[in-house]
Structure formats: structure tokens, C-alpha cells
Amino acid sequence: MIRHIVLIQVSENIPADQVKEVLVGVEAAAFATPGMRAFVGGVKTAGSGLSQGFTHGYTIDFFDEEARDIYLVELDRDGIGRRLSDIAVGGLGGVLAMNIDISDIKTPEDNGGKRLQARWI
């Protein structure tokens, strides 16, 4: 399974309704893709302080790379990919996209129900 992760630095002069329209288009492209398993996205929430200017993001889980590739074609079909770069600071320079293999995803239940203890060093 592939998790497609996209972070966007939305230009501050782009109206919120235009940003929402683009993200709705991204969601529609995802749901039009055979092999898409899950979509979630939206505006960043307050917290870590490590957002580095990224204001919005989304993830899409696909069954495989073929499904992900079909989604990328779907983005081009309706011009949503271009519109995504239009709302980003510096065009595609304001978009970070990556894919990770989540076939071996782990949950707290996999650890005997215990939460992992971790800290920043």
C-alpha cells in the first residue's frame, strides 16, 4: 500500500474559497481513482511549530503504485494539478510531495496495547 503525502505552502493572497475549491478538486480526483483507499486533507492545525510555511496538506492511501499513477493522470485531466501549483508560493516550489510504502503499518494493538514511549533528543 502507498501513502501519497502532499504539503502545500498556500500563498497568503489566495482567497480561502479558492483554496477550498482546489482541495475539493484534489479530493474528487482521488475518489475517481480505482485503487484509492482513503483521503484526508485540510488546513494545518496549531502545534509543532515545524510547519516551515506549509499551510495545507493531504494524504491519499492507494492499494499500489499503479493506482497512484492513475490518480496523477486524473489530476491533469481536470487541470487540478495546475491549479494546485497556482495557489502555492512559488508554484511547484511551494508543494512537497512524497510517497511511502505503508504495507507494514503498525498500530498500538501490534505492541500489546502499549503506547510507544518516544522523545526528541
Side-chain angles (χ1 to χ4, degrees):
M1 183 148 11
I2 301 297
R3 178 161 291 158
H4 181 67
I5 303 164
V6 177
L7 302 176
I8 312 153
Q9 294 175 332
V10 174
S11 179
E12 61 186 35
N13 63 350
I14 304 293
D17 60 335
Q18 184 178 348
V19 174
K20 182 176 181 175
E21 183 180 315
V22 171
L23 292 177
V24 165
V26 168
E27 181 178 356
F31 276 94
T33 305
M36 189 280 293
R37 182 174 172 128
F39 174 93
V40 66
V43 66
K44 78 172 185 79
T45 60
S48 73
L50 297 172
S51 62
Q52 299 182 23
F54 291 97
T55 58
H56 295 72
Y58 62 90
T59 67
I60 308 170
D61 292 347
F62 296 102
F63 283 114
D64 54 27
E65 290 178 0
E66 181 181 352
R68 189 265 332 271
D69 293 346
I70 292 169
Y71 157 77
L72 294 174
V73 170
E74 190 67 30
L75 279 180
D76 286 341
R77 184 180 332 277
D78 294 333
I80 292 298
R82 179 191 48 76
R83 292 183 64 208
L84 188 62
S85 67
D86 288 347
I87 67 170
V89 174
L92 286 178
V95 178
L96 183 144
M98 65 182 293
N99 302 290
I100 58 174
D101 185 338
I102 60 168
S103 300
D104 65 346
I105 195 166
K106 295 178 179 52
T107 66
E109 292 78 25
D110 297 334
N111 193 30
K114 297 179 183 176
R115 293 195 62 190
L116 294 175
Q117 298 294 317
R119 64 185 171 102
W120 292 98
I121 301 175

